[in-house]
Amino acid sequence: MRKHIYIAYTGGTIGMKPSDHGYIPAAGFLGDTLNDMPEFHRSEMPLFTLHEYDNLIDSSDMDPSDWQRIADDIAENYDKYDGFIILHGTDTMAYTASALSFMLEDLTKPVIVTGSQIPLAELRSDGQVNLLNALYVAANFPIAEVGLFFNNRLLRGNRSRKVDADGFSAFDSPNFPPLLEAGINIRLKAGELATKSDKTLKVSSVKAQPIGMVSLYPGISSEVLKNTLQQPVNALILLSYGVGNAPQSPALIAQLEYARDRQIPVLNCTQCMRGRVNMGGYATGHGLQEVGVLSGSDMTPEAALAKLHYLLSKNLPFETIKAKLTQNLCGELSE
């Protein structure tokens, strides 16, 4: 029997139509476009049901309530379909893919987030290849995790980053190999095909959390950290140099002590595209460790932010949050 895949169109470039003021979302336009493309209806392809959200969202406007809506939508339709495609704008696609990877617990079916740089209805659109392959992969190479498909590669969702603003190779997974590559042949890489399981999907709810994110730079004033921490923040992501290094300014260290004393977790992620945090490697990193800064290992900033939303929404004790932040929960970091 042909597999049946659920497509949730949340918004984004792939379903937009041209206008005098650039590309704009238009209700029903994506469905009409797909109906006119016979390659999506060939016998080799799975059946699919397209659900277009009532209010199509530019991904720049996405927030945790939208992650929740997508996760709840998947849960509501989970038993009816063999896999799920989330069509999404590229700007915050890696954030949504990361968030869903934490929220969808005990996942036994593929969830693939994809989109395009050029609308599907346009002549040179990359949307056709992305969506066609995502559908085919979901049906024939089901990997039971949240993936991000772009330019012939299925990436682990919580390892993905947008690395090119206007190229077709818009996404990469710098610290983890692709789950799958779709060339002349489709080849599994780091992904494993789903097996039958009695697990029941559980959606872990998230609520918007005030989280600070500060990128270090030469000459940064401790006032930048102070102003961030004195806002009502529940956590701080520190984007540090190299393997987790930071200036050893006493005033800056004092702000990190302030965070520790008020049980505000500080997660150290590197500014580098590749590699991981190792605060024991240099004295400038060891100083952070001594004041309770946590290693983000090789997590992307997107995954770190999503993970903090996930954990903080559970109202866990401070020590539990600290422990789980440094644990690999669903493939987001290398231990």
Side-chain angles (χ1 to χ4, degrees), residues 278-298:
N278 173 18
M279 290 186 288
Y282 294 86
T284 49
H286 189 69
L288 299 183
Q289 202 169 29
E290 288 183 335
V291 293
V293 174
L294 303 167
S295 171
S297 185
D298 55 357

Side-chain angles (χ1 to χ4, degrees), residues 172-190:
D172 198 5
S173 176
N175 285 316
F176 195 77
L179 300 175
L180 173 151
E181 290 182 347
I184 294 175
N185 298 305
I186 294 178
R187 295 175 296 170
L188 283 173
K189 305 294 279 188

